[in-house]
Amino acid sequence: MAERKENDFLDDISDAEAEEMAEELEEFSDDELELDALRAERDELKDRFMRALADAENARKRADKSRRDAEQYGGSKLARDVLPVYDNMKRALEAASDEQKEVAGPLIEGIELTMRELLNVFGKHGVEIVSPEIGDKFDPQVHQAMFEAPVPGTVAGEIIQVAAEGFMLHDRLLRPAQVGVSSNPAS
């Protein structure tokens, strides 16, 4: 029986070692699980940070584009409102006969100077005149057909009359050129 007690003692040592080993494994497993959880959290936070960084960059690019568009096209309403002034001044200069130019020379000269200054301001702000010629091909992107008429010696889609010039602001159409277009069937 004494031997049994010694074996029991050895069994107790084995059990104690097994328990200690199990506790170490549990601690190791808990640490490892905690480390895995921290890694996953780190990866998630890193992903969120990168997405937030990308969103901020995209917002900055949109704001830059919006600012550039506002600089370039912000005056388009004012420019559209000034176009009739250009039209009226041009008609006034075209309507003045030679006799009127002799009698009211300084007045006509003042209108011409004002017209040149208006054109300088247009150029300074990116407003360009779209001035089609008779015989040009009709382009619906920059021309507005006011009427169609069969005119001998022309081809369908050819400009036969220019009623009013058009205007572009940089690369955007402010007002299409108003034109008459030939409706002759293609020969």
Side-chain angles (χ1 to χ4, degrees), residues 74-115:
S76 63
K77 283 185 178 183
L78 176 63
R80 270 192 205 97
D81 290 345
V82 173
L83 297 182
V85 173
Y86 168 84
D87 292 335
N88 290 333
M89 289 177 60
K90 184 172 181 185
R91 278 192 287 274
L93 289 172
E94 289 172 351
S97 66
D98 290 336
E99 182 180 304
Q100 289 171 331
K101 287 180 182 178
E102 286 179 25
V103 172
L107 177 65
I108 301 295
E109 187 178 329
I111 294 173
E112 288 172 346
L113 289 172
T114 305
M115 179 67 122

Side-chain angles (χ1 to χ4, degrees), residues 106-177:
L107 177 65
I108 301 295
E109 187 178 329
I111 294 173
E112 288 172 346
L113 289 172
T114 305
M115 179 67 122
R116 270 186 256 150
E117 185 59 29
L118 181 61
L119 291 173
N120 286 336
V121 170
F122 279 174
K124 181 178 174 183
H125 294 281
V127 177
E128 298 174 20
I129 298 174
V130 176
S131 186
E133 299 289 326
I134 293 175
D136 288 351
K137 183 80 175 145
F138 176 77
D139 179 1
Q141 298 296 320
V142 292
H143 303 141
Q144 178 182 7
M146 301 305 288
F147 64 90
E148 285 187 328
V151 176
T154 61
V155 179
E158 202 171 272
I159 295 174
I160 55 175
Q161 182 180 355
V162 178
E165 295 170 322
F167 294 88
M168 301 281 289
L169 178 59
H170 300 290
D171 59 346
R172 289 188 184 169
L173 187 65
L174 279 176
R175 182 179 84 187

